[in-house]
Amino acid sequence: MKIALIQLAYSGSMDSMKDQYRSLIAEAAQRGAELVCLPEFSLIPYFPGARQPDGFNFAEPIPGGESERFFSQMAKTHKVKIVGSLYEEAQDGNLFDTATVHDETGALVGVTRKIQIPSGNGYHETDYYAGSDQFPVVKLDALTIATPTCYDQWYPEIARIYALGGAELIVYPTAIGDEPEDHVMDTQDSWETVMRGHAIANGIFIAAINRVGSENGVTFYGSSFVCGPDGRILARASRDKTEVIIAEVSRDVIKEWRWHFPLLHQRRPSVYGNILQKWSGDEAPEWMEETPLRKIKPTQGDLK
């Protein structure tokens, strides 16, 4: 299966983002992509970069919200599967950072809510939504995929659970850039390396789709990529340009890697109990916020 990753910057409005995607998704389809993957909050700004009540206005339902309808339309028009991302307000009022999967008929076949929610300058996500405790996978014709989001990519436990659940390709819609507390620090290599490790340890493909451009003082570093079960990079985008990158993924490649490295078969879960303990080592950084996870919209725009 050929997959496409679409990397781009927020252009100021949902309508202008749709215009960009219409062209870029068409390009991906013309280049043979069967699965097209979009960045975190595909049609909207990275609003958690600032603490402002207006951020809650971007929440929308699934199904039937503007983003979900657009993803469905594009999938059906171009006869491709699409992984998209949006800010979800569930029927019970709970708020989530959510990835969707539509098949080539436009049907919604997968919904995955972000698990790990970061907080801190430039990434005030706990102000706006809570994390999930579910690990769904979506069975497509060629591969079974999982679609956790952004900060989930730093946690090996999450990748392992998805692999044990049958995921052969993990797709991470992403919005990550420089560190507001240290603009000299560049985490791009670390970001890529940790996910390549997930691929190797689990014998799976990994795809991460990032933004470019700057919002609320954060410059996103692009570098969207796909890697194979051996960690080898199959395609990588630039740090600052709008791009469509294409890579081919195959179950046969997974089988070959796992034949040589049957790591999942040789696990010893009975001795891993300590993985469940809470961390009690060094203290949390002073800058780290202790804001509670917000579950529903505030009644009067109060972010405290």
Side-chain angles (χ1 to χ4, degrees):
M1 179 171 68
K2 283 189 176 181
I3 67 172
L5 278 54
I6 296 180
Q7 172 179 287
L8 74 174
Y10 181 64
S11 53
S13 69
M14 266 193 158
D15 286 343
S16 64
M17 291 301 292
K18 288 179 181 178
D19 286 342
Q20 289 192 85
Y21 281 121
R22 287 187 183 98
S23 172
L24 295 168
I25 293 172
E27 176 188 338
Q30 289 167 2
R31 292 171 62 184
E34 300 163 72
L35 173 67
V36 180
C37 307
L38 314 182
E40 184 177 16
F41 295 146
S42 308
L43 295 181
I44 60 178
Y46 182 70
F47 62 90
R51 307 179 97 169
Q52 52 186 354
D54 289 351
F56 292 101
N57 296 334
F58 292 107
E60 54 186 300
I62 298 175
E66 188 167 358
S67 292
E68 190 274 326
R69 294 198 311 271
F70 179 74
F71 302 150
S72 173
Q73 178 190 43
M74 289 295 97
K76 185 176 182 180
T77 297
H78 297 287
K79 295 180 174 56
V80 294
K81 304 169 182 68
I82 291 182
V83 174
S85 171
L86 54 87
Y87 182 27
E88 178 193 3
E89 183 174 13
Q91 291 184 352
D92 59 6
N94 286 331
L95 299 166
F96 300 98
D97 183 344
T98 301
T100 58
V101 183
H102 289 81
D103 70 14
E104 58 272 24
T105 72
L108 179 64
V109 296
V111 174
T112 304
R113 293 160 172 166
K114 189 174 183 175
I115 293 171
Q116 297 287 162
I117 313 300
S119 63
N121 286 342
Y123 303 93
H124 301 282
E125 297 190 20
T126 56
D127 284 339
Y128 295 100
Y129 40 82
S132 174
D133 60 1
Q134 302 297 309
F135 295 81
V137 297
V138 180
K139 293 184 178 181
L140 303 180
D141 295 338
L143 288 176
T144 296
I145 72 169
T147 58
T149 295
C150 199
Y151 203 47
D152 291 341
Q153 62 209 185
W154 293 95
Y155 292 82
E157 300 93 334
I158 290 177
R160 174 56 54 87
I161 291 171
Y162 275 120
L164 293 174
E168 298 163 304
L169 164 66
I170 295 181
V171 177
Y172 294 102
T174 301
I176 189 171
D178 60 6
E179 298 300 315
E181 302 298 327
D182 185 353
H183 286 287
V184 176
M185 177 180 286
D186 186 346
T187 63
Q188 186 275 325
D189 185 64
S190 300
W191 171 78
E192 180 183 292
T193 299
V194 74
M195 285 182 277
R196 291 171 67 189
H198 300 337
I200 295 165
N202 294 291
I204 57 176
F205 288 90
I206 295 283
I209 317 95
N210 197 13
R211 291 175 176 246
V212 293
S214 297
E215 301 176 49
N216 293 307
V218 171
T219 299
F220 300 103
Y221 51 57
S223 307
S224 303
F225 73 93
V226 181
C227 75
D230 60 357
R232 183 171 59 91
I233 297 296
L234 305 177
R236 184 194 288 118
S238 69
R239 290 182 65 102
D240 58 2
K241 293 182 176 62
T242 296
E243 289 186 61
V244 177
I245 61 172
I246 304 284
E248 189 164 331
V249 297
S250 167
R251 183 173 286 132
D252 289 341
V253 175
I254 292 173
K255 289 180 178 179
E256 181 178 2
W257 176 257
R258 289 179 174 176
W259 189 88
H260 292 285
F261 292 91
L263 303 177
L264 297 180
H265 290 285
Q266 294 176 329
R267 294 168 61 247
R268 297 181 61 202
S270 64
V271 303
Y272 299 157
N274 287 346
I275 195 69
L276 300 178
Q277 66 184 311
K278 292 184 178 180
W279 173 240
S280 58
D282 55 298
E283 295 182 358
E286 293 179 358
W287 59 260
M288 199 171 84
E289 299 164 3
E290 295 297 333
T291 55
L293 292 168
R294 179 168 291 283
K295 295 184 178 180
I296 60 174
K297 287 183 181 179
T299 56
Q300 297 178 340
D302 178 17
L303 295 183
K304 297 181 180 179

